[in-house]
Amino acid sequence: MSDEEDDLILSELNDEELVLQMMDDLYDGMKPEIEEAVNILLERKWTPYDILTKALVEGMAIVGVDFRDGILFVPEVLLAAGAMKGGMTILKPLLIETGAPRLGKMVIGTVKGDIHDIGKNLVGMMMEGAGFEIHDLGINNSLEEYIGALESEGADILGMSALLTTTMPYMKVVIDTLVEQGKRDDYIVLVGGAPLNEEFGKAIGADAYCRDAAVAVETAKEFMAKKHNQLSA
Ligand code: B1M
């Protein structure tokens, strides 16, 4: 950190400078600074929704692009996501209070037999950062757990993660069960994980395979926009 950054007093910045500084701090994974800045903007009577969208989400979008392009790597993204979470923790209760619009709700979990969760957690954090509500089921999920949560949470999107070639076929079991139960069209199904690819996603009947967290965010936004257009047509 440079001396200049050491001396920086966030509360002395005007709103525009503070938001730009927040984007830098988010990129650098500086959680205490993000929390302080969120509190400053709240004191300045910014709405929680504006802080979320104009500072945190826009900042996280920059992180997402650089992650996709191979400029940032997993440790840095986890730090940025942690800083984002610090800001979100302050805003979450206030957002619920003010009823800020959410982009959609996603139930996400790693499939049965699989305990890898780093990628799934990253996707959840990036989705949350982009304005989605996330219900994280954790690891080792059965089809009953996925389908039960989709229904009880009133979710729009099912996100499944698998890191093993032996566990990825279980995604098809979940999707086939949704089809058998006549519920497949109720949900957008996105799948991801290192051993998957586009063809596999198509073959199992998912709506899309997402190569990484940034693609998951972009894909979820596209599908939610289509869903809203269909509902309003
Ligand atoms: Co495991 N492991 N592991 N492992 N592990 C792999 C997957 C493996 C490829 C390593 C190797 O051999 N080269 C191999 C699988 C081989 C195969 O199936 N062909 C393997 C194995 C064999 C195993 C064990 C069986 C080892 C053993 O016990 N003998 C065992 C399995 C246990 C089980 O699950 N039942 C095991 C255990 C473990 C640890 C516990 C030690 C640890 C997991 C810790 C944890 O997750 N909490 C671990 C790790 C860390 C790995 C590697 C090294 C790294 C995985 C990771 O976190 N990547 C992995 C090697 C590798 O993948 N190259 C390996 C970083 C993460 C950010 O990327 O998860 O791909 P990723 O997520 C990305 C995208 O894939 C995508 O977005 C994410 C972010 O960009 N994405 C989604 C992921 N999920 C998504 C869901 C979506 C959308 C996008 O939904 C919408």
Side-chain angles (χ1 to χ4, degrees):
M1 188 189 283
S2 69
D3 287 350
E4 205 179 292
E5 279 172 329
D6 260 346
D7 294 343
L8 199 66
I9 297 171
L10 293 178
S11 59
E12 289 179 353
L13 301 177
N14 68 31
D15 285 11
E16 198 182 328
E17 289 164 343
L18 183 58
V19 167
L20 287 175
Q21 185 60 41
M22 285 174 80
M23 290 177 182
D24 276 356
D25 288 346
L26 200 67
Y27 196 92
D28 294 336
M30 295 163 76
K31 187 177 171 193
E33 284 75 4
I34 288 294
E35 288 167 340
E36 187 188 341
V38 165
N39 283 322
I40 293 169
L41 288 177
L42 284 172
E43 278 161 23
R44 292 183 191 173
K45 303 292 172 217
W46 275 52
T47 64
Y49 185 66
D50 274 354
I51 300 173
L52 176 72
T53 52
K54 294 181 182 162
L56 297 180
V57 172
E58 279 195 31
M60 206 59 188
I62 301 169
V63 173
V65 168
D66 279 5
F67 182 43
R68 186 194 55 205
D69 294 346
I71 297 164
L72 287 179
F73 296 96
V74 172
E76 289 122 331
V77 176
L78 283 174
L79 275 180
M84 172 93 193
K85 282 224 150 185
M88 292 283 296
T89 305
I90 299 169
L91 294 176
K92 210 169 187 174
L94 305 169
L95 284 166
I96 293 165
E97 245 172 53
T98 53
R102 306 289 298 172
L103 292 180
K105 187 165 194 177
M106 178 189 232
V107 162
I108 190 165
T110 306
V111 295
K112 194 170 165 180
D114 201 323
I115 63 165
H116 294 87
D117 68 354
I118 297 173
K120 183 259 308 159
N121 292 345
L122 256 177
V123 173
M125 284 183 193
M126 298 281 286
M127 293 281 295
E128 207 164 19
F132 286 87
E133 201 175 332
I134 297 297
H135 183 78
D136 189 340
L137 294 174
I139 54 171
N140 194 26
N141 285 286
S142 65
L143 65 93
E144 290 83 5
E145 283 164 316
Y146 281 123
I147 296 174
L150 284 172
E151 289 177 344
S152 63
E153 295 297 320
D156 306 288
I157 308 169
L158 169 62
M160 290 189 279
S161 180
L163 264 286
L164 299 172
T165 45
T166 49
T167 57
M168 55 193 251
Y170 193 73
M171 293 174 163
K172 183 168 176 351
V173 177
V174 178
I175 294 173
D176 286 350
T177 307
L178 282 172
V179 173
E180 278 160 26
Q181 296 181 355
K183 297 171 187 162
R184 175 65 186 87
D185 293 341
D186 298 346
Y187 306 106
I188 297 156
V189 179
L190 306 181
V191 294
L196 279 65
N197 57 33
E198 197 102 31
E199 287 67 42
F200 178 78
K202 281 196 188 117
I204 63 169
D207 288 298
Y209 154 73
C210 307
R211 189 182 66 239
D212 58 31
V215 171
V217 169
E218 282 161 23
T219 311
K221 280 184 184 167
E222 276 166 28
F223 276 95
M224 283 308 294
K226 274 189 218 157
K227 182 175 171 174
H228 284 305
N229 289 341
Q230 278 163 5
L231 289 176
S232 57

